[in-house]
Amino acid sequence: MREVLRRHPRLWCDLAFRGDHATGGQVDPAWREAFTEFPDRFMVGTDTFTPERWQYIGEHARYSRGWLADLPAPLAERIGWRNAEAAPAGCGAHLVSPARQVAECGGLTLVFAPGRSPLSVGRHFALDIAACAGSGSAPPASLRVDADMPAHRHGINYKPTVQALGDGRFVAAGLMFHMPGHWRLLFYAPGGAPLTWEVTVP
């Protein structure tokens, strides 16, 4: 399967009707390697193709939650539900980090990943970003990135810089969360509403 995924970068896999990837809540080592190598290419599937299958949804959900808990949280979220989020085909395909995220607003999609994960207090980090516009539209030529804590009504102590790499790709550097709690990353493209992503930093 890994060989096939390497040959076909736009191939995705769902895990319906499978049980060999985990036993007793423990992910098989070979499957763990596959999930880690292709964090954005697997999804939990239910195969509710006929009414008779609906009775198994609860059991399947419990089984899936059990083995997903054996994976790092960002990877588990991707396989559990984030990989099913809509995004333009090929958008951010170069971002293969388990911490890969997707934000959408007003026809603009941002796919981004921090340079390290998990994020922690008092350590600078950078974001690799891919911006994808709707059909027939060009990606933004510039982007501004900021962050705030809505509950505390303040922003970050450091002003990040954003470098445009062309073709809708950017690198935002100099970000740092200076205190623990609930943070919100803000992405501003010209002429549009900000896109947001929320994260809790321990």
Side-chain angles (χ1 to χ4, degrees):
M1 185 181 297
R2 293 166 69 187
E3 293 177 2
V4 174
L5 288 169
R6 292 179 187 127
R7 290 198 302 267
H8 303 282
R10 296 185 63 183
L11 177 66
W12 282 261
C13 304
D14 81 66
L15 300 169
F17 273 122
R18 299 204 70 102
D20 55 319
H21 55 287
T23 303
Q26 301 294 311
V27 176
D28 176 83
W31 277 96
R32 183 183 296 272
E33 291 179 7
F35 294 151
T36 302
E37 182 176 354
F38 302 100
D40 59 343
R41 309 276 288 284
F42 288 93
M43 295 176 290
V44 168
T46 58
D47 261 322
T48 55
F49 62 92
T50 180
E52 288 78 9
R53 294 291 306 167
W54 283 90
Q55 63 178 314
Y56 299 108
I57 290 180
E59 178 184 345
H60 182 272
R62 287 189 293 273
Y63 167 71
S64 298
R65 292 188 185 106
W67 65 262
L68 285 171
D70 189 42
L71 296 173
L75 180 56
E77 287 186 1
R78 292 211 57 79
I79 297 172
W81 60 277
R82 289 192 183 278
N83 286 341
E85 290 183 329
C91 185
H94 64 290
L95 300 176
V96 296
S97 166
R100 184 177 186 266
Q101 305 293 333
V102 178
E104 297 178 285
C105 181
L108 178 66
T109 298
L110 292 183
V111 181
F112 57 95
R116 59 179 179 79
S117 180
L119 298 175
S120 57
V121 171
R123 294 186 63 187
H124 282 94
F125 66 95
L127 291 175
D128 292 313
I129 307 168
C132 307
S135 177
S137 301
S142 62
L143 193 69
R144 184 168 65 88
V145 179
D146 204 350
D148 67 2
M149 295 189 83
H152 294 266
R153 299 183 180 180
H154 64 67
I156 53 177
N157 290 343
Y158 298 84
K159 183 178 181 179
T161 60
V162 181
Q163 178 185 5
L165 304 179
D167 296 325
R169 295 174 63 173
F170 303 87
V171 174
L175 288 153
M176 190 181 84
F177 298 133
H178 59 270
M179 63 181 292
H182 189 75
W183 285 88
R184 182 175 61 172
L185 282 172
L186 307 166
F187 302 88
Y188 297 89
L195 281 78
T196 64
W197 178 65
E198 299 184 7
V199 59
T200 299
V201 181

